[in-house]
Amino acid sequence: MDKLTNNITNNIPKTDLKSSHKTINDVASGKISDTSVSVDNIVDINTTKKIVSEMAASAPIDADKVATIKEAISSGKYPLDMDKLSDALMQAYREMKS
């Protein structure tokens, strides 16, 4: 691991090590002009959080299909393959046991 770290450190130009204290906000606001960091590489976390929360709020679940299956289960008309069910239960038991 030391060889890897040393190789990485030794291969970085000294100018990059000195200028590494620049922040993305400084570059984005224009306080520092740096050609190695472009504004296109900056990701807005707030926008990403908003998109993720919207996707989580509307999960891809077919509510009509769920209601149909629930009705079939409660009325006893949902087809069950007892062999598949018992095999799955035994497999889950074996995984829990080991």
Side-chain angles (χ1 to χ4, degrees):
M1 187 68 172
D2 291 334
K3 288 182 181 180
L4 179 65
T5 305
N6 288 336
N7 286 337
I8 291 171
T9 305
N10 292 334
N11 289 329
I12 297 174
K14 299 299 180 198
T15 56
D16 288 348
L17 291 174
K18 290 178 183 175
S19 65
S20 63
H21 67 277
K22 298 175 187 174
T23 64
I24 296 291
N25 291 334
D26 291 340
V27 174
S29 65
K31 292 180 186 175
I32 299 174
S33 62
D34 188 357
T35 57
S36 65
V37 178
S38 69
V39 178
D40 296 336
N41 293 337
I42 298 174
V43 176
D44 185 9
I45 301 297
N46 293 330
T47 305
T48 305
K49 285 183 181 179
K50 183 180 176 185
I51 292 170
V52 169
S53 65
E54 288 173 358
M55 290 174 68
S58 61
I61 297 173
D62 187 355
D64 293 333
K65 190 170 186 177
V66 170
T68 303
I69 292 172
K70 280 185 177 182
E71 178 63 34
I73 291 171
S74 64
S75 66
K77 296 179 182 178
Y78 190 78
L80 292 176
D81 185 352
M82 292 304 203
D83 290 332
K84 279 187 175 180
L85 183 60
S86 63
D87 289 343
L89 286 172
M90 288 303 295
Q91 180 64 30
Y93 173 74
R94 286 186 202 108
E95 288 175 3
M96 287 181 1
K97 189 177 176 183
S98 61

